[in-house]
Amino acid sequence: SATKLREHFPQPLKKDLKSRAEFISRSLKEIHLCVIDELFEHDIALKILAEVKELHSSGIFQDGLLSGGKTASEDEEKFTEKKIRGDKITWLEGNEIHVPSIVKLIELVDSLVISCGELPDGLNGYFVEGRSKAMVACYPGNGTGYKRHVDNPDGDGRCLTVIYYLNQGWGEDVGGKLKIYRPDDSNNIHVEPVLNRLLLFWSDGRNPHEVLPAYFTRYAITIWYFDAEQRRRAKQLHKFETMRDLDVEFALSDVEAKRKE
Ligand SMILES: O=C(O)CCC(=O)Nc1cc2ccccc2cn1
Ligand SMILES: [Mn+2]
């Protein structure tokens, strides 16, 4: 489990960008994923959770989009896919004034990724210049999850998946762990989706994963980071007929400029 993982791979006590970036880079290089707990002070984590709950109760969440940009209800033959993922989602750009703590999260994650990129070979040969919108997801807790999949199986440009979990008081009995598969199914990693935990992993076939059936309202915020070269090539291949929320890219340079001012 990710909690056990921390025994072999203790995260740095220092919480400055550089220490964390070095840890993230080493962890991604050695085990293709990284877990950082207590990302924020506890009160900030609770503020992020409160804002997500506010979004949820505002009714803004939609059925998780299936490939082709349709929701299951609209698209009958995709109805079977409904069983594939039970999440409800909404997308944020990272500049919204009504969710200031979620914006703080997005800015910190951007800064961590930028700091990794500034280390020698910090991102395993990827060159990250942009990211997706932030996807706020909620699993309603009716035993649905998200069937085994790879985030970027076909070189669409996304190289790094970053997920921030928000589930206060999570316990084994309510399920909803993220199961990350390892080759020949030996020592798969089960990530407990606990409040204030940050998970990072390479988005390609190195990390097939699935959300195990969840029996509680399970919240998470996901951001994908693009490798400039892979993204350019994917665009050339006209991979983006329909620009889904997932495909919109934001330049990190703006974030960097803002951070330095
Ligand atoms: O919440 C978690 O622990 C991870 C859930 C998860 O894998 N979500 C997810 C959501 C996606 C939405 C659109 C396209 C690809 C996607 C890939 N993965
Ligand atoms: Mn995924």
Side-chain angles (χ1 to χ4, degrees), residues 146 149-151 201 209 224:
Y146 196 128
H149 66 282
V150 168
D151 281 0
F201 58 86
H209 54 281
W224 285 277

Side-chain angles (χ1 to χ4, degrees), residues 14-146:
K14 285 162 52 68
K15 297 199 169 192
D16 61 290
L17 275 179
K18 196 163 179 336
S19 307
R20 284 179 151 172
E22 284 163 353
F23 174 70
I24 291 169
S25 178
R26 194 161 47 81
S27 190
L28 283 171
K29 208 162 281 178
E30 292 189 22
I31 54 175
H32 304 326
L33 62 87
C34 177
V35 175
I36 293 185
D37 282 322
E38 283 97 45
L39 184 71
F40 285 104
E41 300 305 314
H42 187 62
D43 59 312
I44 305 284
L46 290 178
K47 283 192 181 133
I48 298 172
L49 174 58
E51 288 175 8
V52 169
K53 285 181 175 174
E54 182 56 37
L55 287 175
H56 191 199
S57 54
S58 74
I60 195 171
F61 280 59
Q62 309 294 324
D63 278 0
L65 277 192
L66 305 173
S67 52
K70 288 196 167 72
T71 59
S73 40
E74 288 165 11
D75 191 335
E76 284 323 300
E77 68 265 22
K78 288 268 170 65
F79 196 74
T80 44
E81 279 197 39
K82 190 93 179 128
K83 301 282 170 300
I84 288 182
R85 52 183 295 196
D87 56 338
K88 303 227 175 280
I89 61 176
T90 188
W91 295 89
L92 295 171
E93 298 192 2
N95 54 21
E96 290 80 358
I97 50 170
H98 63 289
V99 282
S101 298
I102 297 177
V103 168
K104 205 190 296 250
L105 166 69
I106 297 170
E107 286 173 348
L108 175 59
V109 175
D110 283 346
S111 299
L112 285 170
V113 172
I114 289 168
S115 299
C116 285
E118 289 166 347
L119 298 172
D121 193 31
L123 285 172
N124 206 34
Y126 292 120
F127 179 56
V128 172
E129 284 182 327
R131 65 155 165 82
S132 71
K133 289 183 176 181
M135 181 187 74
V136 185
C138 168
Y139 290 77
N142 55 359
T144 54
Y146 196 128

